Coordinates of all heavy atoms in Angstrom, one line a residue:
A1 N -11.5 -2.0 0.9 CA -10.2 -1.9 1.6 C -9.2 -1.0 0.8 O -8.5 -0.2 1.4 CB -9.6 -3.3 1.9
V2 N -9.1 -1.3 -0.5 CA -8.2 -0.5 -1.3 C -8.6 1.0 -1.3 O -7.7 1.9 -1.2 CB -8.2 -1.1 -2.7 CG1 -7.4 -0.2 -3.7 CG2 -7.5 -2.5 -2.7
A3 N -9.9 1.3 -1.3 CA -10.3 2.7 -1.3 C -9.9 3.3 0.0 O -9.5 4.5 0.1 CB -11.8 2.7 -1.5
A4 N -10.0 2.6 1.2 CA -9.6 3.1 2.5 C -8.1 3.4 2.5 O -7.7 4.4 3.0 CB -10.0 2.1 3.6
F5 N -7.3 2.4 1.9 CA -5.9 2.7 1.9 C -5.5 3.9 1.0 O -4.6 4.6 1.3 CB -5.2 1.4 1.4 CG -5.0 0.3 2.4 CD1 -5.6 -0.9 2.2 CD2 -4.3 0.6 3.6 CE1 -5.4 -1.9 3.2 CE2 -4.1 -0.4 4.5 CZ -4.7 -1.6 4.4
D6 N -6.3 4.1 -0.1 CA -6.0 5.3 -0.9 C -6.2 6.5 -0.1 O -5.4 7.5 -0.3 CB -7.0 5.3 -2.1 CG -6.6 4.3 -3.2 OD1 -5.5 3.8 -3.2 OD2 -7.5 4.0 -4.0
V7 N -7.2 6.6 0.8 CA -7.4 7.8 1.6 C -6.2 8.0 2.6 O -5.6 9.1 2.7 CB -8.7 7.7 2.4 CG1 -8.8 8.8 3.4 CG2 -9.9 7.7 1.5
A8 N -5.8 6.9 3.2 CA -4.7 6.9 4.1 C -3.4 7.3 3.4 O -2.6 8.1 3.9 CB -4.5 5.6 4.8
L9 N -3.1 6.7 2.2 CA -1.9 7.0 1.5 C -1.9 8.5 1.1 O -0.8 9.1 1.1 CB -1.8 6.1 0.3 CG -1.4 4.7 0.6 CD1 -1.7 3.7 -0.6 CD2 0.1 4.6 0.8
A10 N -3.0 9.0 0.6 CA -3.0 10.4 0.2 C -2.6 11.3 1.4 O -1.9 12.3 1.3 CB -4.4 10.8 -0.3
A11 N -3.1 10.9 2.6 CA -2.8 11.7 3.8 C -1.3 11.6 4.1 O -0.6 12.6 4.5 CB -3.6 11.3 5.0
S12 N -0.8 10.4 4.0 CA 0.7 10.2 4.4 C 1.5 11.0 3.4 O 2.6 11.6 3.8 CB 1.0 8.7 4.3 OG 1.1 8.3 2.9
R13 N 1.1 11.2 2.2 CA 1.9 11.9 1.2 C 1.8 13.4 1.5 O 2.8 14.1 1.3 CB 1.5 11.6 -0.2 CG 1.9 10.2 -0.6 CD 1.1 9.6 -1.8 NE 1.5 8.2 -2.1 CZ 0.7 7.3 -2.7 NH1 -0.5 7.7 -3.1 NH2 1.1 6.1 -2.8
R14 N 0.6 13.9 1.8 CA 0.5 15.3 2.2 C 1.3 15.6 3.4 O 1.9 16.7 3.5 CB -1.0 15.6 2.4 CG -1.8 15.7 1.2 CD -3.2 16.4 1.4 NE -4.0 15.5 2.3 CZ -4.8 14.6 2.0 NH1 -5.0 14.3 0.7 NH2 -5.6 13.9 2.8
L15 N 1.4 14.7 4.3 CA 2.2 14.9 5.6 C 3.7 14.7 5.4 O 4.5 15.1 6.2 CB 1.7 14.0 6.7 CG 0.3 14.3 7.2 CD1 -0.3 13.0 7.9 CD2 0.3 15.5 8.1
G16 N 4.0 14.1 4.2 CA 5.4 13.8 4.0 C 6.0 12.7 4.9 O 7.2 12.7 5.1
L17 N 5.2 11.8 5.3 CA 5.6 10.7 6.2 C 6.0 9.5 5.4 O 5.2 8.6 5.1 CB 4.5 10.4 7.2 CG 4.2 11.5 8.2 CD1 3.0 11.1 9.1 CD2 5.3 11.9 9.1
R18 N 7.3 9.4 5.1 CA 7.8 8.3 4.2 C 7.5 6.9 4.8 O 7.1 6.0 4.1 CB 9.3 8.6 4.0 CG 9.9 7.6 3.1 CD 11.4 7.9 2.9 NE 12.1 6.8 2.1 CZ 12.2 6.9 0.8 NH1 11.7 7.9 0.2 NH2 12.8 5.9 0.2
D19 N 7.9 6.8 6.1 CA 7.7 5.4 6.7 C 6.3 5.0 6.8 O 5.9 3.9 6.5 CB 8.3 5.5 8.1 CG 8.3 4.1 8.8 OD1 8.9 3.2 8.2 OD2 7.7 3.9 9.8
A20 N 5.4 6.0 7.1 CA 3.9 5.6 7.2 C 3.4 5.3 5.8 O 2.6 4.3 5.7 CB 3.2 6.8 7.7
E21 N 3.9 6.0 4.8 CA 3.4 5.6 3.4 C 3.9 4.2 3.0 O 3.2 3.4 2.5 CB 4.0 6.6 2.4 CG 3.5 6.4 1.0 CD 4.1 7.4 0.0 OE1 4.7 8.4 0.4 OE2 3.9 7.2 -1.2
G22 N 5.2 3.9 3.4 CA 5.7 2.6 3.1 C 4.8 1.5 3.8 O 4.5 0.4 3.2
R23 N 4.5 1.7 5.1 CA 3.7 0.7 5.8 C 2.3 0.5 5.2 O 1.8 -0.6 5.1 CB 3.7 1.1 7.3 CG 2.9 0.1 8.2 CD 3.5 -1.3 8.2 NE 4.9 -1.3 8.7 CZ 5.2 -1.5 9.9 NH1 4.3 -1.6 10.8 NH2 6.5 -1.5 10.3
L24 N 1.7 1.6 4.8 CA 0.4 1.6 4.2 C 0.4 0.8 2.9 O -0.5 0.0 2.6 CB -0.2 3.0 4.0 CG -0.6 3.7 5.3 CD1 -0.8 5.2 5.0 CD2 -1.9 3.1 5.8
L25 N 1.5 1.0 2.1 CA 1.6 0.3 0.8 C 1.7 -1.2 1.1 O 1.1 -2.0 0.4 CB 2.8 0.8 0.1 CG 2.7 2.2 -0.6 CD1 4.0 2.7 -1.1 CD2 1.7 2.1 -1.8
L26 N 2.5 -1.6 2.1 CA 2.6 -3.0 2.5 C 1.3 -3.6 2.9 O 0.9 -4.7 2.6 CB 3.7 -3.1 3.5 CG 5.1 -3.0 3.0 CD1 6.1 -2.6 4.2 CD2 5.6 -4.3 2.4
N27 N 0.6 -2.8 3.7 CA -0.7 -3.3 4.2 C -1.8 -3.4 3.1 O -2.6 -4.3 3.1 CB -1.2 -2.4 5.4 CG -0.5 -2.6 6.6 OD1 0.2 -3.7 6.8 ND2 -0.5 -1.7 7.5
C28 N -1.7 -2.5 2.2 CA -2.6 -2.6 1.0 C -2.2 -3.8 0.2 O -3.1 -4.5 -0.4 CB -2.5 -1.3 0.2 SG -3.7 -1.2 -1.2
A29 N -0.9 -4.1 0.1 CA -0.5 -5.3 -0.6 C -1.1 -6.5 0.0 O -1.5 -7.5 -0.7 CB 1.0 -5.4 -0.6
V30 N -1.1 -6.5 1.3 CA -1.7 -7.7 2.0 C -3.2 -7.9 1.6 O -3.7 -9.0 1.4 CB -1.6 -7.5 3.5 CG1 -2.4 -8.6 4.3 CG2 -0.1 -7.6 4.0
A31 N -3.9 -6.7 1.5 CA -5.3 -6.8 1.1 C -5.5 -7.3 -0.3 O -6.4 -8.1 -0.6 CB -6.0 -5.4 1.3
L32 N -4.6 -6.9 -1.2 CA -4.7 -7.3 -2.6 C -4.4 -8.8 -2.7 O -5.0 -9.5 -3.5 CB -3.7 -6.5 -3.4 CG -4.1 -5.1 -3.7 CD1 -2.9 -4.3 -4.3 CD2 -5.3 -5.0 -4.6
R33 N -3.4 -9.3 -2.0 CA -3.1 -10.7 -2.0 C -4.3 -11.6 -1.5 O -4.5 -12.7 -1.9 CB -1.8 -11.1 -1.4 CG -1.8 -11.0 0.1 CD -0.4 -11.4 0.7 NE -0.1 -12.8 0.4 CZ -0.6 -13.8 1.1 NH1 -1.4 -13.6 2.1 NH2 -0.2 -15.0 0.8
Q34 N -5.0 -11.0 -0.5 CA -6.2 -11.7 0.0 C -7.2 -11.8 -1.1 O -8.0 -12.8 -1.1 CB -6.7 -11.0 1.2 CG -5.9 -11.1 2.5 CD -6.2 -10.1 3.5 OE1 -6.9 -9.1 3.3 NE2 -5.7 -10.3 4.7
G35 N -7.2 -10.9 -2.0 CA -8.1 -11.0 -3.1 C -7.6 -11.8 -4.3 O -8.2 -11.8 -5.4
G36 N -6.4 -12.3 -4.2 CA -5.8 -13.1 -5.3 C -5.0 -12.3 -6.3 O -4.5 -12.8 -7.3
Q37 N -4.8 -11.0 -6.0 CA -4.0 -10.1 -7.0 C -2.5 -10.1 -6.5 O -2.0 -9.1 -6.1 CB -4.6 -8.7 -7.0 CG -6.0 -8.7 -7.5 CD -6.6 -7.3 -7.5 OE1 -6.0 -6.4 -8.2 NE2 -7.7 -7.0 -6.8
F38 N -1.9 -11.3 -6.7 CA -0.5 -11.5 -6.2 C 0.5 -10.6 -6.9 O 1.4 -10.1 -6.2 CB -0.2 -12.9 -6.2 CG -0.9 -13.8 -5.3 CD1 -2.1 -14.5 -5.7 CD2 -0.6 -13.9 -4.0 CE1 -2.8 -15.2 -4.8 CE2 -1.3 -14.7 -3.1 CZ -2.4 -15.3 -3.5
D39 N 0.4 -10.4 -8.2 CA 1.5 -9.7 -8.9 C 1.3 -8.2 -8.5 O 2.3 -7.5 -8.3 CB 1.4 -9.9 -10.4 CG 1.8 -11.3 -10.8 OD1 2.5 -11.9 -10.0 OD2 1.4 -11.8 -11.8
R40 N 0.1 -7.7 -8.4 CA -0.1 -6.3 -8.0 C 0.4 -6.1 -6.6 O 1.0 -5.1 -6.3 CB -1.6 -5.9 -8.2 CG -1.8 -4.4 -8.0 CD -3.3 -4.1 -8.3 NE -3.6 -2.8 -7.8 CZ -4.8 -2.3 -7.5 NH1 -5.8 -3.2 -7.6 NH2 -5.0 -1.1 -7.1
A41 N 0.1 -7.1 -5.7 CA 0.5 -7.0 -4.3 C 2.1 -6.9 -4.3 O 2.6 -6.1 -3.5 CB 0.0 -8.2 -3.6
L42 N 2.7 -7.7 -5.1 CA 4.2 -7.7 -5.1 C 4.7 -6.3 -5.5 O 5.7 -5.8 -4.9 CB 4.7 -8.7 -6.1 CG 6.2 -8.8 -6.2 CD1 7.0 -9.0 -4.9 CD2 6.6 -9.9 -7.2
Q43 N 4.1 -5.7 -6.4 CA 4.6 -4.3 -6.8 C 4.4 -3.3 -5.7 O 5.4 -2.6 -5.4 CB 3.7 -3.8 -8.0 CG 3.9 -4.6 -9.3 CD 3.0 -4.1 -10.4 OE1 2.1 -3.3 -10.2 NE2 3.1 -4.7 -11.6
L44 N 3.3 -3.4 -5.0 CA 3.1 -2.5 -3.8 C 4.1 -2.8 -2.7 O 4.6 -1.9 -2.0 CB 1.7 -2.5 -3.4 CG 0.6 -1.9 -4.2 CD1 -0.7 -1.7 -3.4 CD2 1.0 -0.5 -4.8
S45 N 4.3 -4.1 -2.4 CA 5.1 -4.4 -1.3 C 6.6 -4.0 -1.5 O 7.3 -3.6 -0.6 CB 5.0 -5.9 -0.9 OG 5.3 -6.7 -2.0
R46 N 7.0 -4.1 -2.8 CA 8.3 -3.6 -3.1 C 8.5 -2.1 -2.9 O 9.4 -1.6 -2.4 CB 8.7 -4.0 -4.6 CG 9.1 -5.4 -4.8 CD 9.3 -5.7 -6.3 NE 9.8 -7.1 -6.4 CZ 9.9 -7.7 -7.6 NH1 9.5 -7.1 -8.7 NH2 10.4 -8.9 -7.7
Q47 N 7.4 -1.4 -3.4 CA 7.5 0.1 -3.2 C 7.5 0.4 -1.7 O 8.2 1.3 -1.2 CB 6.2 0.7 -3.8 CG 6.2 0.6 -5.3 CD 4.9 1.1 -5.9 OE1 4.2 2.0 -5.3 NE2 4.5 0.6 -7.0
G48 N 6.6 -0.3 -0.9 CA 6.5 -0.1 0.5 C 7.8 -0.3 1.3 O 8.2 0.5 2.1

């Protein structure tokens, strides 16, 4: 899941889509918390 989000995030940055990048970071945070990485998830959700 994180690898898939990395592909999507790279595309959002090339396109310059700030809102899409933020939403992808938040969704990646959800995946990380599902794996128990709560502190890393918090960092991403703040950025998103």
